[in-house]
Amino acid sequence: MKASYPSIQSFYKREIPEEKKPPTDASPVNVGDGFTEEELSDALDPLSRKWNPEREYEEQIIAQLIPGPRAVTFVGRIVNLATFFGHTPKQPKAAGFHSLIVKDDSAAISIKLYFARDQYPLQLGQLLSFWTLFISDTSKIGSKIVSAVIVCANMFPGRVTSDHIMIHTTGSTDGICHVPLEYKKNQPLPGLMTLDTWLKGGHDGVVNAKILVCVKSLGAKKTIKRKDGAESDLADVGLFDHTGDVRMTLWNSQIESSKDWQPGTTILLLSNPGYKVLFSGKGSVRVAHQTMIDVEPDFPDAEWLRKYAAWLMKKESLSSSVVWPEGVWDVDAAEYGVVRMLFTLAELDRWVRSDGDQTFTGMINVTIMEMSLVSLQRRNMLMCAECCGVPIYSNTPTTPCCNCSKPLSLSLNPRIIGTLLDETGSISPGKLLWSPRAWTQLFGRGVEEIARMTDEEVRVFEQRALWLRCHLVVGWSGDVGRLGVLGVLM
């Protein structure tokens, strides 16, 4: 029988680790990731971090940027903006990125700006300063980019400490980077056409087409569901020039830019605008990937359109016919003064046309030929106001704006009073600017009481007021531009 020998494992004993009990007075230790709260805050909110660069950045204009590694800083305004959410293979730590086109007075650059958690508060027309170490060429961004874009850059300020941006919000920077690209002094801007020409065929095949427009109205934000089940926000902006008007649709992150636009005031220069046919068959403006939107451009054509828009809005705006200007006329002197001039409508017309800048008061004796009190009440248009370039109608003295939700105080609709007639002429409906005092004297009750009138009271008053002969205390001022009714004498 063979002798058995012990195995090598039998010479080693298995060691059992002893459990160490922590001291009773020891406090628990939270295991972290090695980053301080300040470092985490800087990564999630790069705009508020204290940035002290370790190297010197060379200040350049966009036209001087050359592809390659180089520490540069430049300034420009956003002319195209789109935001995309989701992780990308190149930057898996990013929650999304902004696709920007930024321009100064010399050229444009395409920038992909990544963010770690929250998107940047960017808007069209904002002035930004950039610091980066690398500039790329345009070969990787496709063939749809606008010809003015000469270089591109990828930036992630929340993760790359050498990248940084700054948003300028002070008024001292308002005059920077507003000159359109390709503009030369005392020469027409290449590719610029009227809105009517662009709608009738200028959008088809014209390279670097440009249209200069003014904001007419701002539509409410709507939410729609796409074919893939996701939701998107959109808002329509009305645009016009001296030849026509059109509608432009803004999507998602672009909508925030329109909140600072003022109807009748804000001028936009659209370069390479997209064209889309609506269901009604009319053409509209689409913000394409290569579209550039210059907000408040600085060149002579924009200044001319700004003056034209101011004149047109003063002539056609609803606000100019319902908002009563305070302190323009002396009502007591006009109604009870020693010198009170009585005009016919023909004499009043000649007086104003001879010198439209003067300010005076007087009286006219007219007959009310028409009234629309009943019809306007039934259509819920007894009172009106204007906000975001859109007329607001209601039968109540106060109502919120359907676009910006701002509470509005409404005035009586001036079209309640129809045609006024005397022996020499007539005044069309809605052409007079009525004061609250004049409405009270005409109706015998306050504005709020007029809004609460019943259907029977409205019908009876309209029948009594038709063919009524009355004296109107009126005033004219060149600054107002309308004939104001200061009071009514029966």
Side-chain angles (χ1 to χ4, degrees):
M1 183 176 184
K2 294 182 179 181
S4 60
Y5 298 96
S7 64
I8 192 171
Q9 287 84 0
S10 63
F11 289 95
Y12 299 95
K13 293 183 179 181
R14 186 177 181 182
E15 296 182 359
I16 301 175
E18 296 181 1
E19 296 182 359
K20 295 183 178 180
K21 297 183 179 180
T24 56
D25 58 345
S27 59
V29 178
N30 295 325
V31 179
D33 52 9
F35 294 101
T36 64
E37 292 185 2
E38 184 179 359
E39 291 172 335
L40 292 175
S41 176
D42 291 345
L44 297 177
D45 189 11
L47 292 176
S48 61
R49 68 174 176 173
K50 297 179 180 179
W51 189 63
N52 297 316
E54 300 177 354
R55 55 181 59 83
E56 185 177 351
Y57 288 77
E58 182 181 354
E59 185 175 353
Q60 294 184 342
I61 61 174
I62 296 179
Q64 295 174 337
L65 298 177
I66 301 175
R70 192 175 185 181
V72 294
T73 176
F74 56 92
V75 179
R77 292 192 180 273
I78 301 176
V79 292
N80 191 297
L81 168 64
T83 304
F84 302 92
F85 293 92
H87 299 284
T88 60
K90 293 184 178 181
Q91 294 289 354
K93 299 298 183 180
F97 64 90
H98 299 288
S99 178
L100 309 176
I101 297 181
V102 177
K103 66 164 282 291
D104 60 6
D105 296 341
S106 63
I109 179 174
S110 175
I111 298 177
K112 186 175 286 188
L113 182 63
Y114 294 92
F115 50 88
R117 185 183 65 183
D118 299 328
Q119 57 180 319
Y120 293 95
L122 302 179
Q123 297 181 14
L124 292 171
Q126 271 184 340
L127 183 69
L128 275 67
S129 291
F130 298 88
W131 290 264
T132 186
L133 290 183
F134 193 85
I135 300 295
S136 305
D137 57 19
T138 58
S139 60
K140 297 181 180 180
I141 56 178
S143 59
K144 293 184 178 180
I145 201 66
V146 65
S147 60
V149 175
I150 57 175
V151 288
C152 64
N154 292 340
M155 300 178 61
F156 196 173
R159 190 169 181 84
V160 182
T161 57
S162 59
D163 290 345
H164 188 66
I165 69 167
M166 182 173 65
I167 301 176
H168 298 274
T169 57
T170 58
S172 60
T173 59
D174 291 344
I176 302 176
C177 301
H178 278 295
V179 179
L181 297 178
E182 304 179 34
Y183 171 71
K184 295 181 181 180
K185 192 175 181 179
N186 299 327
Q187 294 185 15
L189 184 64
L192 182 62
M193 60 184 71
T194 64
L195 186 57
D196 182 66
T197 302
W198 183 80
L199 290 172
K200 290 182 177 179
H203 62 274
D204 189 11
V206 179
V207 181
N208 295 330
K210 301 178 181 67
I211 53 176
L212 184 67
V213 293
C214 180
V215 176
K216 184 178 182 179
S217 62
L218 302 174
K221 184 171 71 172
K222 307 173 187 176
T223 301
I224 63 172
K225 182 171 288 188
R226 303 199 304 260
K227 293 182 179 180
D228 58 359
E231 293 184 346
S232 293
D233 297 330
L234 65 89
D236 292 330
V237 178
L239 307 173
F240 74 96
D241 70 354
H242 62 290
T243 62
D245 56 80
V246 73
R247 190 176 76 181
M248 178 176 67
T249 303
L250 300 179
W251 293 87
N252 299 323
S253 58
Q254 300 169 349
I255 300 176
E256 194 69 21
S257 305
S258 64
K259 293 184 178 180
D260 294 332
W261 297 351
Q262 299 295 326
T265 303
T266 304
I267 304 296
L268 306 177
L269 176 64
L270 308 182
S271 303
N272 299 299
Y275 181 81
K276 182 180 179 181
V277 180
L278 302 175
F279 291 107
S280 60
K282 295 182 178 180
S284 66
V285 175
R286 178 176 60 90
V287 182
H289 180 66
Q290 66 272 20
T291 302
M292 296 173 58
I293 303 178
D294 287 78
V295 181
E296 301 292 358
D298 183 15
F299 69 117
D301 290 339
E303 187 62 28
W304 179 90
L305 182 59
R306 189 174 289 108
K307 294 179 180 179
Y308 172 80
W311 171 82
L312 187 65
M313 296 301 288
K314 185 177 181 180
K315 178 182 178 182
E316 298 183 354
S317 175
L318 184 62
S319 298
S320 61
S321 60
V322 297
V323 179
W324 180 255
E326 298 291 342
V328 178
W329 299 286
D330 187 349
V331 180
D332 293 333
E335 191 167 336
Y336 306 108
V338 178
V339 180
R340 292 178 293 176
M341 295 183 290
L342 178 63
F343 294 95
T344 65
L345 293 182
E347 292 172 343
L348 187 63
D349 180 72
R350 288 195 299 268
W351 191 284
V352 172
R353 292 182 185 276
S354 63
D355 184 7
D357 296 331
Q358 59 182 326
T359 299
F360 65 91
T361 58
M363 291 187 178
I364 56 175
N365 185 259
V366 293
T367 302
I368 302 177
M369 304 297 295
E370 299 173 352
M371 265 194 107
S372 303
L373 185 62
V374 174
S375 61
L376 290 177
Q377 190 202 41
R378 290 177 178 176
R379 294 161 59 188
N380 198 31
M381 297 174 64
L382 190 62
M383 309 193 75
C384 62
E386 188 176 40
C387 187
C388 300
V390 179
I392 308 295
Y393 296 98
S394 177
N395 281 352
T396 57
T398 58
T399 188
C401 174
C402 58
N403 296 334
C404 62
S405 301
K406 175 183 176 182
L408 301 175
S409 297
L410 278 64
S411 304
L412 284 172
N413 195 333
R415 291 189 173 272
I416 290 176
I417 305 299
T419 303
L420 300 178
L421 184 73
D422 74 353
E423 292 78 10
T424 62
S426 63
I427 301 177
S428 302
K431 297 299 183 180
L432 295 178
L433 178 60
W434 289 75
S435 67
R437 180 174 180 272
W439 285 121
T440 301
Q441 292 177 343
L442 178 64
F443 280 84
R445 63 188 74 188
V447 175
E448 294 185 358
E449 295 178 355
I450 297 173
R452 294 195 298 264
M453 291 174 65
T454 63
D455 295 344
E456 181 63 21
E457 290 176 332
V458 167
R459 185 185 62 83
V460 171
F461 182 85
E462 181 173 309
Q463 292 179 350
R464 290 179 56 191
L466 279 174
W467 311 105
L468 178 67
R469 188 89 178 190
C470 59
H471 281 82
L472 301 183
V473 183
V474 296
W476 171 268
S477 175
D479 296 333
V480 178
R482 282 181 181 267
L483 190 65
V485 181
L486 285 65
V488 179
L489 301 178
M490 297 296 185

